[in-house]
Amino acid sequence: MIQVERLCKRFLDYERGWKSAVEDVSFDCRPGEILGLLGPNGAGKTTTLRILSTVLRPTSGRAIVAGHDVVVDPQGVRANIGYMSASTGIYDRMTAWELVEYFGRLYGMGRGPLRERMETIFDWLKMNDFRDVLGSKMSTGMKQKASIARTIVHDPPVLIFDEPTSGLDVLVARAVLQKILELRDLGKTIVFSTHSMHEVEKLCSKVAVIYKGRLRATGSPGRLLEEFDQPDLEELFFYLVERVDSGRDVAEARVGPVNANP
Amino acid sequence: MTDLFFLDGGRDERAGMKTKFRWSNLWIIMRREVRDQIRDRRTLFMIFVLPILLYPMLMFGMLQVLSALEQKPRVVVVVGSENLPPAPPLLDPSGKGFSPDLFDSPGDAGRMVVERQDATSDWADPRTAESAIRHGLASAVVIIPKDLRDQLKRDVEIAIPIQYNSVDEPSQITQLRLKDMLARWKVSIVAGRLARDRKDKSYTEPIEVRALDVATADEKGGNVWSRLFPFLLVMMSLTGAFYPAVDLCAGEKERGTMETLLISPASRSEIVLGKFLTVMLASVTTAILNLLSMGLTGMQVARQFGEMGGGAGRRAVAASFAAPSPQSAFWMLVLLIPLAAFFSAVCLALAVLARSMKEGQYYMTPLYMICLPLVFLTLSPEIELNLFNSLLPITGVALLLRALIMGNYDTAAQFFLPVLVPTLIYAAVALRWAIDQFQREDVLFREAERFNVVAWLRHLIRDREPTPTGAQAVLCFALILSASWFLTLYLSSRGAGVDLATVAAGQLMIMIPPVIMAFMLTRCPFRTLRLTIPEGRYLLLALGLVIALNPLVNELRPLVEWLFPIRRQIAETLGKMMAQAPSLPIAILSLAIMPAVCEELAFRGFILSGLEHQRRTRSAIVLSAFLFGFLHVLLSLFQQLFNATLLGVVLGLLAVRGKSLLPGIVFHAINNAWAITLPRLVGMKSLQPALSAVFRDPAQGLYHEGWLALGVVCSAGLLYHLWRLRFIRPPEPSLAAPVVVP
């Protein structure tokens, strides 16, 4: 379960002073749900997800992840999430097995249960043939699998994927998306950021459109299309972006039409 | 100490909720990092291969050059050898060399080969000889005068010219050897004459100079080592720390694994300590392997030289390469660990700033540029280990290493703690800095930005915070130091001595930077400088503490002066300055009240507020006290370090708890004023009974044991009470406050 309420994050910039990267963002996501965080580059998706994973501290607002507040109990949050992004790499001088084992140990898993869990994961992701291959020798697909294994080794209830498919070829991207769907079916709470409409359509039961640091709309894709009278997600997205750029959205700077926190 | 600095696993989350430090996580991280480094070829090469190969190869190269220079005998042409007298002999019987009696050893004699030429040959012409020397046919030409035998009989002064080329080094050396040898020959001629005339030896040599070498065998051995070794050891432990640190921080950022690690449940302290211990292990290993390799190579060389026999020169060379004694080696290892810890922490904190390995490498040059001068100091025999040098971060350790290698165990023992403790403190501060760096979002997720000085200055003014940052506090201290330093230089260039006016000027230099910085760089200068009216009880506490602590403070001073005596010259200057004060009120004003106000504004005002910025009050108090002590070392006497630092802690606690500078000023002023007044009271006859009731030594201000015990108990009680008086800082009106959204 993820609940985000009026989250703000400001950064200090020498040239311009304090600047908002994320402003007044609210949404929620329940177990068995995939929330798609849709937005162009620089919209504030990564900042939002980094706040949820506790590496950034919100300037204001609240975020509860798996029952723990990201500010009050960051350790509790970190123990219950799995985080993966296109930029989270793997260690060059460690084998796939060692990598997953290392993080399993950091998550406080005992040797016996960890071994069992790893066998299950390696079977599920079909990683057994490159168990002992060093990170530097792995193909991109292998690296992504190793990353997924690392993300889920401690069986966290909440999973956060920050553009997990960016830069991957279609085959690997498809495999990654497939695994995310399978994880959803296991009842995980999943937040997934992307700039691809296609992926949102395929995966998400709920979408949050973020642009220039603010949430522009939240809700199930079907309801949003109906609400804004748009034929598909792509049109909806451009409609929302244009509305902001033309200045029409300034007056409606409140949270999107389907509020996550009624 | 550890609790104070590191083991606050949860505080790094700044969540207000403490979590336990988990050693298991530290162990897991460290094990991974060590394995990672062992799998890295570059690290392996730097740590293991380089030291093992470097020294034997260096020595081999050196020996080759030496032997090439040594073994080649130089040709000396002796023109007119037929004119030499039969006794004492100059040439050996074969006529191919000089007489071995004229050298220290047969080996030395073998270095010159004689080529005999008749006086009638071409060689007698100086131009022929010159061209032969230029073309390398001979290293030197000795011309024996035709009438040498006659001259010898007539007791006149004889000139024997040697032709050589001073620009050509072998020729120059040959000339010097020839001179030495001819001097001995001369001595034997003189001996013959003395015997003939039945005169005593003292007739020709009224004075004999005897140089007695007091160096022990250990010291002789340590000579080359002691110069080179601290330098190499320090630089090697720095190098050993640098590469792994860059790999473990910048490299991890570059590969994108840092974020993953930060999102794991391991706390920042656990992550940093895990990495720190790995880097330290690498640093210590590098240094020890260098030490071993150098020692073994040195021993090998020493043995080779020993076997080759030869003169005193060779024996000295052999001795100078002998390895240090096991005792020295052990203490060197003990010293090496805090040094490695210091380097490891500094390297980590720097390396985490870098976004990539490449950027990390750039930081190495400035780091070396700072370390090199500090180590170079040890290459000069003029620089000795004293209390001031022992406080310098790297110099202290290097000088102590030198003393250990030279076998100066007395010096080494005296300064072991003064070097070890500051080094440990520096290492702890550096490690704290590294952990702080790991908690800063702007460091961990740093992005390339264009740096513009004007924009940055504008930002400093525009985005001011209520109180200064830690960096601004350190900058303030640096400004105070350099301002005072330049003032001292200026005054001494104007010929001004140490008097009350210069002391007052020095105090202004301490006060000006913090006051200007507080008004320019913070939004609440009065809160920064703690210019508020305190609660009455804090004034009372200050009063009580200064009285209760006085016996203890006075007891400490002679103890420190006994351990580290004040140079007489300085003591006299100080005495003069005190005597010069025209009256007690003026002395109190300039030596008690002014320092109290100025130093409190700087150290308990701006600097402590800045160090407290991260809400780490205890470390801030200790650190500000240490800076306070350090200022006294630089500006007056290093003997004041201990008192100033200890009182700095009390003053810091008063300032933090009382939320005001006033209690500290009262404490500081009374403490100084009493120290000035007491010596004047000693002279007054009427006060004698009262003074002797309180003091066992009024001139030194030493109290009777009873008063001392009472003082200790009271100050302990008061300090404990002050410590317990915690207060919660009011919430800061900061830009980070919740933003109201319409």
mmCIF file of all heavy atoms in Angstrom, chain B residues 54-67 297 301:
data_model
loop_
_atom_site.group_PDB
_atom_site.id
_atom_site.type_symbol
_atom_site.label_atom_id
_atom_site.label_comp_id
_atom_site.label_asym_id
_atom_site.label_seq_id
_atom_site.Cartn_x
_atom_site.Cartn_y
_atom_site.Cartn_z
ATOM 1 N N LEU B 54 58.827 -3.012 -6.643
ATOM 2 C CA LEU B 54 59.422 -1.682 -6.741
ATOM 3 C C LEU B 54 60.802 -1.597 -6.097
ATOM 4 O O LEU B 54 61.771 -1.198 -6.734
ATOM 5 C CB LEU B 54 58.478 -0.654 -6.116
ATOM 6 C CG LEU B 54 58.953 0.792 -6.155
ATOM 7 C CD1 LEU B 54 58.952 1.310 -7.581
ATOM 8 C CD2 LEU B 54 58.073 1.682 -5.285
ATOM 9 N N TYR B 55 60.876 -2.019 -4.819
ATOM 10 C CA TYR B 55 62.117 -1.766 -4.086
ATOM 11 C C TYR B 55 63.277 -2.612 -4.569
ATOM 12 O O TYR B 55 64.370 -2.084 -4.760
ATOM 13 C CB TYR B 55 61.878 -1.891 -2.587
ATOM 14 C CG TYR B 55 60.887 -0.862 -2.145
ATOM 15 C CD1 TYR B 55 59.560 -1.182 -1.931
ATOM 16 C CD2 TYR B 55 61.268 0.467 -2.037
ATOM 17 C CE1 TYR B 55 58.642 -0.213 -1.589
ATOM 18 C CE2 TYR B 55 60.360 1.446 -1.704
ATOM 19 C CZ TYR B 55 59.037 1.098 -1.477
ATOM 20 O OH TYR B 55 58.145 2.052 -1.163
ATOM 21 N N PRO B 56 63.063 -3.941 -4.792
ATOM 22 C CA PRO B 56 64.189 -4.703 -5.333
ATOM 23 C C PRO B 56 64.667 -4.120 -6.661
ATOM 24 O O PRO B 56 65.869 -4.015 -6.903
ATOM 25 C CB PRO B 56 63.604 -6.104 -5.524
ATOM 26 C CG PRO B 56 62.476 -6.174 -4.570
ATOM 27 C CD PRO B 56 61.929 -4.789 -4.477
ATOM 28 N N MET B 57 63.715 -3.676 -7.502
ATOM 29 C CA MET B 57 64.125 -3.136 -8.795
ATOM 30 C C MET B 57 64.879 -1.829 -8.614
ATOM 31 O O MET B 57 65.903 -1.598 -9.261
ATOM 32 C CB MET B 57 62.914 -2.940 -9.699
ATOM 33 C CG MET B 57 62.532 -4.213 -10.433
ATOM 34 S SD MET B 57 60.918 -4.124 -11.178
ATOM 35 C CE MET B 57 61.145 -2.824 -12.338
ATOM 36 N N LEU B 58 64.386 -0.986 -7.725
ATOM 37 C CA LEU B 58 65.052 0.287 -7.463
ATOM 38 C C LEU B 58 66.473 0.048 -6.976
ATOM 39 O O LEU B 58 67.425 0.658 -7.456
ATOM 40 C CB LEU B 58 64.291 1.057 -6.389
ATOM 41 C CG LEU B 58 63.285 2.094 -6.859
ATOM 42 C CD1 LEU B 58 62.651 2.773 -5.663
ATOM 43 C CD2 LEU B 58 63.979 3.122 -7.742
ATOM 44 N N MET B 59 66.592 -0.896 -6.013
ATOM 45 C CA MET B 59 67.887 -1.169 -5.427
ATOM 46 C C MET B 59 68.832 -1.759 -6.459
ATOM 47 O O MET B 59 69.995 -1.390 -6.529
ATOM 48 C CB MET B 59 67.752 -2.170 -4.268
ATOM 49 C CG MET B 59 67.186 -1.560 -3.034
ATOM 50 S SD MET B 59 68.309 -0.329 -2.376
ATOM 51 C CE MET B 59 67.386 0.259 -0.996
ATOM 52 N N PHE B 60 68.281 -2.668 -7.270
ATOM 53 C CA PHE B 60 69.078 -3.304 -8.302
ATOM 54 C C PHE B 60 69.637 -2.229 -9.232
ATOM 55 O O PHE B 60 70.834 -2.201 -9.533
ATOM 56 C CB PHE B 60 68.211 -4.308 -9.069
ATOM 57 C CG PHE B 60 68.942 -5.036 -10.149
ATOM 58 C CD1 PHE B 60 69.852 -6.030 -9.832
ATOM 59 C CD2 PHE B 60 68.730 -4.715 -11.478
ATOM 60 C CE1 PHE B 60 70.540 -6.687 -10.831
ATOM 61 C CE2 PHE B 60 69.417 -5.376 -12.481
ATOM 62 C CZ PHE B 60 70.324 -6.365 -12.160
ATOM 63 N N GLY B 61 68.743 -1.327 -9.638
ATOM 64 C CA GLY B 61 69.154 -0.246 -10.529
ATOM 65 C C GLY B 61 70.232 0.602 -9.884
ATOM 66 O O GLY B 61 71.266 0.908 -10.502
ATOM 67 N N MET B 62 70.024 0.924 -8.599
ATOM 68 C CA MET B 62 70.966 1.790 -7.906
ATOM 69 C C MET B 62 72.343 1.119 -7.810
ATOM 70 O O MET B 62 73.364 1.757 -8.030
ATOM 71 C CB MET B 62 70.464 2.095 -6.506
ATOM 72 C CG MET B 62 69.991 3.514 -6.351
ATOM 73 S SD MET B 62 69.087 3.710 -4.819
ATOM 74 C CE MET B 62 70.341 3.408 -3.612
ATOM 75 N N LEU B 63 72.288 -0.193 -7.477
ATOM 76 C CA LEU B 63 73.558 -0.916 -7.329
ATOM 77 C C LEU B 63 74.303 -0.973 -8.649
ATOM 78 O O LEU B 63 75.526 -0.849 -8.689
ATOM 79 C CB LEU B 63 73.290 -2.330 -6.818
ATOM 80 C CG LEU B 63 72.914 -2.410 -5.358
ATOM 81 C CD1 LEU B 63 72.731 -3.870 -4.956
ATOM 82 C CD2 LEU B 63 73.989 -1.776 -4.494
ATOM 83 N N GLN B 64 73.552 -1.183 -9.734
ATOM 84 C CA GLN B 64 74.192 -1.250 -11.053
ATOM 85 C C GLN B 64 74.917 0.055 -11.337
ATOM 86 O O GLN B 64 76.070 0.063 -11.745
ATOM 87 C CB GLN B 64 73.124 -1.493 -12.137
ATOM 88 C CG GLN B 64 72.579 -2.904 -12.158
ATOM 89 C CD GLN B 64 73.696 -3.916 -12.325
ATOM 90 O OE1 GLN B 64 74.532 -3.790 -13.212
ATOM 91 N NE2 GLN B 64 73.730 -4.913 -11.446
ATOM 92 N N VAL B 65 74.233 1.152 -11.073
ATOM 93 C CA VAL B 65 74.825 2.457 -11.344
ATOM 94 C C VAL B 65 76.057 2.638 -10.462
ATOM 95 O O VAL B 65 77.119 3.051 -10.930
ATOM 96 C CB VAL B 65 73.793 3.569 -11.069
ATOM 97 C CG1 VAL B 65 74.466 4.928 -11.183
ATOM 98 C CG2 VAL B 65 72.638 3.463 -12.050
ATOM 99 N N LEU B 66 75.899 2.277 -9.182
ATOM 100 C CA LEU B 66 76.998 2.445 -8.238
ATOM 101 C C LEU B 66 78.214 1.643 -8.673
ATOM 102 O O LEU B 66 79.330 2.158 -8.713
ATOM 103 C CB LEU B 66 76.573 1.964 -6.853
ATOM 104 C CG LEU B 66 75.913 3.010 -5.961
ATOM 105 C CD1 LEU B 66 75.572 2.386 -4.619
ATOM 106 C CD2 LEU B 66 76.835 4.208 -5.785
ATOM 107 N N SER B 67 77.948 0.358 -9.026
ATOM 108 C CA SER B 67 79.089 -0.494 -9.340
ATOM 109 C C SER B 67 79.728 -0.038 -10.649
ATOM 110 O O SER B 67 80.942 -0.094 -10.802
ATOM 111 C CB SER B 67 78.670 -1.962 -9.418
ATOM 112 O OG SER B 67 77.636 -2.083 -10.354
ATOM 113 N N THR B 297 64.718 -5.581 1.182
ATOM 114 C CA THR B 297 65.664 -5.139 0.166
ATOM 115 C C THR B 297 66.845 -4.449 0.832
ATOM 116 O O THR B 297 68.003 -4.687 0.470
ATOM 117 C CB THR B 297 64.988 -4.160 -0.802
ATOM 118 O OG1 THR B 297 63.730 -4.696 -1.160
ATOM 119 C CG2 THR B 297 65.814 -3.947 -2.028
ATOM 120 N N VAL B 301 70.780 -5.456 0.669
ATOM 121 C CA VAL B 301 71.825 -4.531 0.203
ATOM 122 C C VAL B 301 72.897 -4.395 1.279
ATOM 123 O O VAL B 301 74.098 -4.447 0.986
ATOM 124 C CB VAL B 301 71.203 -3.152 -0.114
ATOM 125 C CG1 VAL B 301 72.307 -2.137 -0.371
ATOM 126 C CG2 VAL B 301 70.304 -3.267 -1.318
#
